[in-house]
Amino acid sequence: ALRARLRNKFLAARTPSYTHGVRKGVDMSERRMVDSIIEINMGMEPTRPDYQKDKKNDCSLAVALVIDESGSMSGLRKDTVKGAVAIADALSSLGCPVLAIGPRNHNVVCYENTSGCHRYQPVRIDVFNDWNESMTTALPRFPSITATGGTPLEDGIQYALQELNKRPERHRIVLTITDGVPDNPQVVRNQIRLSADAQIKIVGIGLCYAGDSVGSLFHEHL
């Protein structure tokens, strides 16, 4: 269902449109052919014999999917895998490059002095699907999505933003799947503000009962 809805939207945006009945265009309009012949037979110059191809906005899209792998996701892990696969597969089937990653930590403090730091634990970025990689290749990795440690979403979002900054697509989006609040909400708020200046959207997708917390953090959310 998701693929079908996205396909209809993408195809509508990609399908070229034409305006028939213009004075000067790229070629003669078949729709205006009869009227043009009648005007010629009456000794008149055809008034609107041509058609033109309408300009359309660039609808190219790149999406980075950030998946919450915190311990609280343990009861939602199967649904998270299904949702991540559904989103990545639907977008990939339309030729949209997708990066799917999961940030996680292990609750191991690695710095003696953490005063004033927003990160005080090692963070690992799991890559489940890389840019321009086929879902056939990436699909076996998605079941390895785990649920452990804290919620270092800010690190996953930062990784996604850095990768999207390299992309040439006109529309760039970070989709964040989570069941709650990240370890450092203020850092995420700052990322959302800075990404808007770079014309990158960050969208929160709340699972289970996370709607209120996700809605209060992400300006755009589901």
Side-chain angles (χ1 to χ4, degrees), residues 68-74 103-108 120-122 146-153 179 181 183:
D68 185 349
E69 291 192 283
S70 63
S72 61
M73 296 283 286
S74 58
R104 59 187 172 97
N105 57 36
H106 301 281
N107 288 328
V108 179
Y120 53 89
Q121 297 166 323
T146 186
T148 182
T151 314
L153 277 182
D179 70 335
V181 180
D183 290 340

Side-chain angles (χ1 to χ4, degrees), residues 152-189:
L153 277 182
E154 61 277 1
D155 292 281
I157 292 174
Q158 187 61 36
Y159 184 94
L161 291 174
Q162 290 173 351
E163 288 296 308
L164 282 171
N165 274 329
K166 306 173 187 176
R167 300 297 310 182
E169 287 77 14
R170 183 169 184 262
H171 302 284
R172 297 169 294 171
I173 300 176
V174 177
L175 295 179
T176 305
I177 301 177
T178 180
D179 70 335
V181 180
D183 290 340
N184 298 279
Q186 190 55 45
V187 174
V188 175
R189 291 189 180 94

Side-chain angles (χ1 to χ4, degrees), residues 53-72:
K53 187 175 181 179
D54 299 329
K55 292 183 178 179
K56 304 203 75 173
N57 293 328
D58 181 4
C59 62
S60 58
L61 172 67
V63 174
L65 184 62
V66 180
I67 304 163
D68 185 349
E69 291 192 283
S70 63
S72 61

Side-chain angles (χ1 to χ4, degrees), residues 16-22 27-39 48-52 54:
S17 61
Y18 302 91
T19 298
H20 291 266
V22 296
D27 205 346
M28 293 192 66
S29 169
E30 293 182 358
R31 296 182 185 180
R32 292 283 306 171
M33 189 70 71
V34 173
D35 291 337
S36 296
I37 292 176
I38 291 174
E39 291 172 340
R48 295 177 297 157
D50 290 356
Y51 74 90
Q52 68 182 15
D54 299 329

